[in-house]
Amino acid sequence: MTSDVSQLVDHLFRHQYGHLVSTLTRIFGLDNLDLVEDVVQETLLKALRHWPYHGIPDNPAGWLYQSAKNQALDIIRRNALFRDKAAEIARELEGWERHGAVTSLKDDELAMILACCHPALPRNTRVALTLKTVGGFGVAEIARAFLTNDTAIAQRLVRAKRRLRIESIVLEVPVDSEMPERLESVLDVLYFMFNEGYSAHSGANLVRFDLCEEAIRLVQLLILHPAGDHPVVHALAALMFLQASRLSARQTPDGQLLLLGDQDRTLWDCRLIDWGLYHLSQAGKGKKLTAYHLEAGIAACHSLAPMYELTDWPQILGYYDQLIQINPSPVVTLNRAVALSMIEGPQAGIKQLHAIQQQVPMQEYFLFHATLADFYRRAGLSLEARDAYQRAVQFAGSDTERRFLVRKLENLQ
Amino acid sequence: MATFMLLLKGGDFSGYSPEESQKILQDYMGWSQKLRTQGKYKGGDELKDGGRLVSVSDGRVVDGPFTETKEVIGGYFLIEEPGLEAAIGTAKDCPHLKYKGRVEVREINPH
């Protein structure tokens, strides 16, 4: 026992929640996910009532495990529903070892991630369910992260659980041949989760950062499991680490947005860049080139440039050319146009953007107008630049973005 | 120096996310840690849920559950303070107040 608060690892409760839910759900079955969540919630409550008086146990995770196990045993003793399976469940629970911090991904958790990210569920649902049951996020936290209300998320979760039942989705690590498709669905969720956190359109930044952190934690856990240790998973990990390395440089202390060219590169987190490059090297071991590989490659080009002026634009353009083959979307074209303009000049960029301006969602996408404005500015077309910046302001999602654009607009004059 | 008993009554931790729960816990730990570093802490314990209320009804000794479950004492702390005012000050800092709880401050009467 200790009264030292620092003994509590950051996010211990959140991570243990996911860990305990996964393990208990394997024992009780996905049908009893609600019951399992109640058990784990009650376990945390017990710690809340107990620890302030007794201090933090030497092995907090082990304490939570033991406590959850006792409560689960209690439930099967009292609940008639489990009478038939009581002996079996009790045996499994008794077999629980005492766990320390979660450093590896057990089959239970991998199975849980796979079930939450099942292709039969809509993407939004997959993300919410993963955050709730694997990530240990609360309903309100998920709602804040996705700028919606608690009721909407709660309903989404209820529907998700019903869907799991209807589709008879079971908790298991599928056979090797099914793994690529299932992994793809998981990576899609983690990529979305990370981007939601990274782009921080609006809302509380802290919650957003939590999303990035959770996406990175899960992708790392995936890699720790033999069934998840695929080159494409490494590619996504590389992309996340390289992007995350720049998080603290993207804003000034007073909250102003800074683009790549204006960032203080000494603020980039070298440790994360190293991790990113390591995963990128691992990503190259497969046969398949995915969008994650290419996006990570682009991110690496930026990470490796000692200054903006020395960015390897031809290499980046090459990656975008390949990316457009895989994912021919106007957003990719928009980003490619930036690289192109750095090589061939702003006029080339303007031409590209004009070609896609009628496509959805470009007209209402603030970055489209902001990028176009920047091209006009560089081409010396101040009037057009002002118009485009004004349109960008109109569609900006957050105050940070709006302030950034207004500043650009003022600098034009 | 006098010894005081702080009785932590009620309190509601339901509806918090795991992350919030951990923050609440850190809040409590911070408060009790401060008592220890200041040398005020003399002891404390959690009281188990349940228990019985023994009383006399119609001339018979009976036992039954508590009627006022909201005011159940969750635990207590024994602290050393120069006087009642100081003890009240410490109680006012107790995170229990933030979670629908109440803290009763009582001085131990020395022999």
Side-chain angles (χ1 to χ4, degrees):
Chain A
M1 293 286 172
T2 171
S3 59
D4 187 357
V5 196
S6 62
Q7 287 302 304
L8 276 189
V9 186
D10 275 354
H11 308 310
L12 174 84
F13 275 25
R14 184 180 269 178
H15 296 166
Q16 283 302 318
Y17 181 93
H19 198 51
L20 291 170
V21 165
S22 302
T23 314
L24 283 174
T25 307
R26 190 186 45 78
I27 296 174
F28 281 91
L30 259 181
D31 282 353
N32 290 305
L33 185 53
D34 282 332
L35 171 99
V36 165
E37 286 191 286
D38 286 346
V39 168
V40 179
Q41 194 66 43
E42 189 55 42
T43 300
L44 299 185
L45 268 177
K46 213 172 152 199
L48 263 185
R49 285 196 296 254
H50 199 75
W51 295 3
Y53 298 100
H54 297 271
I56 296 164
D58 295 331
N59 176 0
W63 191 99
L64 293 173
Y65 246 81
Q66 197 61 37
S67 170
K69 177 178 131 181
N70 291 341
Q71 281 188 55
L73 282 172
D74 215 36
I75 283 178
I76 56 165
R77 269 194 292 268
R78 278 181 296 141
N79 196 329
L81 271 177
F82 300 110
R83 200 156 289 151
D84 295 345
K85 292 203 293 176
E88 187 195 332
I89 294 178
R91 208 168 37 247
E92 289 216 46
L93 282 169
E94 290 299 349
W96 262 16
E97 55 202 292
R98 283 170 69 89
H99 284 270
V102 189
T103 49
S104 69
L105 184 69
K106 302 272 182 294
D107 283 356
D108 299 344
E109 277 176 287
L110 178 62
M112 191 60 156
I113 295 173
L114 290 168
C116 291
C117 298
H118 199 281
L121 305 170
R123 188 211 251 159
N124 273 344
T125 304
R126 280 187 258 155
V127 179
L129 194 60
T130 306
L131 284 172
K132 178 74 167 59
T133 56
V134 182
F137 280 64
V139 168
E141 287 161 354
I142 300 173
R144 271 206 302 280
F146 290 102
L147 314 177
T148 174
N149 56 52
D150 296 9
T151 322
I153 294 294
Q155 280 172 352
R156 200 179 290 173
L157 290 169
V158 169
R159 278 199 299 271
K161 286 171 189 169
R162 196 184 307 141
R163 193 93 207 156
L164 288 176
R165 274 193 293 275
I166 294 171
E167 303 277 342
S168 312
I169 292 168
V170 287
L171 270 191
E172 61 179 12
V173 177
V175 292
D176 284 354
S177 61
E178 283 175 28
M179 208 52 195
E181 193 206 335
R182 298 294 300 275
L183 264 184
E184 198 176 302
S185 175
V186 174
L187 297 186
D188 179 58
V189 165
L190 300 185
Y191 179 69
F192 182 77
M193 197 186 284
F194 183 86
N195 278 342
E196 275 299 303
Y198 192 73
S199 51
H201 296 303
S202 53
N205 278 330
L206 198 67
V207 182
R208 295 305 191 122
F209 182 68
D210 274 10
L211 285 185
C212 292
E213 227 179 18
E214 182 60 13
I216 287 182
R217 184 183 79 98
L218 292 178
V219 83
Q220 278 181 300
L221 282 178
L222 267 188
I223 287 169
L224 284 172
H225 194 285
D229 187 8
H230 278 263
V232 59
V233 186
H234 282 285
L236 181 58
L239 174 60
M240 288 184 188
F241 276 114
L242 293 170
Q243 300 277 52
S245 72
R246 297 194 275 271
L247 267 173
S248 49
R250 291 201 320 159
Q251 280 193 357
T252 60
D254 58 341
Q256 300 210 26
L257 195 64
L258 290 174
L259 296 185
L260 267 176
D262 302 320
Q263 289 175 13
D264 174 358
R265 295 185 176 218
T266 61
L267 291 178
W268 290 1
D269 191 327
C270 300
R271 207 174 36 98
L272 295 183
I273 294 175
D274 285 347
W275 274 108
L277 295 175
Y278 161 74
H279 284 296
L280 193 58
S281 70
Q282 297 298 308
K285 292 186 173 166
K287 291 195 185 80
K288 200 174 164 206
L289 185 69
T290 67
Y292 303 129
H293 284 89
L294 294 165
E295 287 188 44
I298 293 163
C301 284
H302 289 302
S303 295
L304 292 171
M307 51 203 283
Y308 190 66
E309 291 71 22
L310 295 175
T311 308
D312 188 351
W313 293 110
Q315 176 77 67
I316 291 177
L317 186 64
Y319 287 142
Y320 274 122
D321 286 341
Q322 285 175 283
L323 192 55
I324 237 162
Q325 303 288 321
I326 297 176
N327 177 18
S329 82
V331 176
V332 177
T333 307
L334 172 64
N335 287 309
R336 184 184 168 277
V338 176
L340 187 71
S341 79
M342 297 307 288
I343 300 165
E344 297 182 12
Q347 288 293 355
I350 293 169
K351 204 173 144 206
Q352 290 285 310
L353 293 197
H354 280 167
I356 57 164
Q357 65 182 351
Q358 296 309 325
Q359 291 186 40
V360 181
M362 291 302 120
Q363 274 310 315
E364 294 178 7
Y365 188 38
F366 91 95
L367 272 179
F368 173 84
H369 298 292
T371 309
L372 190 55
D374 191 55
F375 289 163
Y376 283 138
R377 180 191 60 79
R378 282 162 52 198
L381 302 164
S382 320
L383 282 178
E384 285 85 348
R386 183 169 311 137
D387 271 4
Y389 272 129
Q390 275 160 354
R391 270 195 303 279
V393 171
Q394 193 185 334
F395 295 112
S398 72
D399 287 341
T400 316
E401 288 164 357
R402 207 165 293 118
R403 278 205 309 275
F404 167 80
L405 293 165
V406 168
R407 208 158 27 112
K408 291 271 173 194
L409 201 49
E410 284 165 2
N411 287 347
L412 269 184
Q413 272 112 38
Chain B
M1 276 295 178
T3 307
F4 291 85
M5 182 180 268
L6 304 187
L7 295 154
L8 274 60
K9 298 176 165 187
D12 183 4
F13 304 120
S14 55
Y16 292 101
S17 71
E19 189 75 1
E20 288 163 336
S21 301
Q22 182 165 344
K23 294 236 163 64
I24 294 172
L25 184 70
Q26 281 164 335
D27 230 7
Y28 275 92
M29 300 310 293
W31 178 77
S32 67
Q33 169 80 0
K34 203 167 137 200
L35 292 180
R36 283 177 169 90
T37 52
Q38 291 173 337
K40 294 175 174 177
Y41 180 85
K42 290 292 150 212
D45 255 315
E46 179 199 9
L47 299 182
K48 269 196 167 182
D49 278 348
R52 306 289 267 184
L53 186 66
V54 179
S55 60
V56 176
S57 171
D58 294 335
R60 281 190 312 129
V61 177
V62 293
D63 63 302
F66 299 100
T67 43
E68 274 291 341
T69 46
K70 269 187 181 170
E71 282 293 84
V72 158
I73 300 169
Y76 69 90
F77 283 92
L78 281 174
I79 59 168
E80 204 156 68
E81 295 279 7
L84 182 62
E85 282 312 309
I88 292 171
T90 298
K92 278 183 176 170
D93 284 339
C94 182
H96 206 55
L97 302 175
K98 285 193 244 169
Y99 307 104
K100 298 182 190 155
R102 308 212 280 181
V103 180
E104 184 173 329
V105 184
R106 301 292 297 270
E107 184 172 351
I108 305 272
N109 209 353
H111 299 290

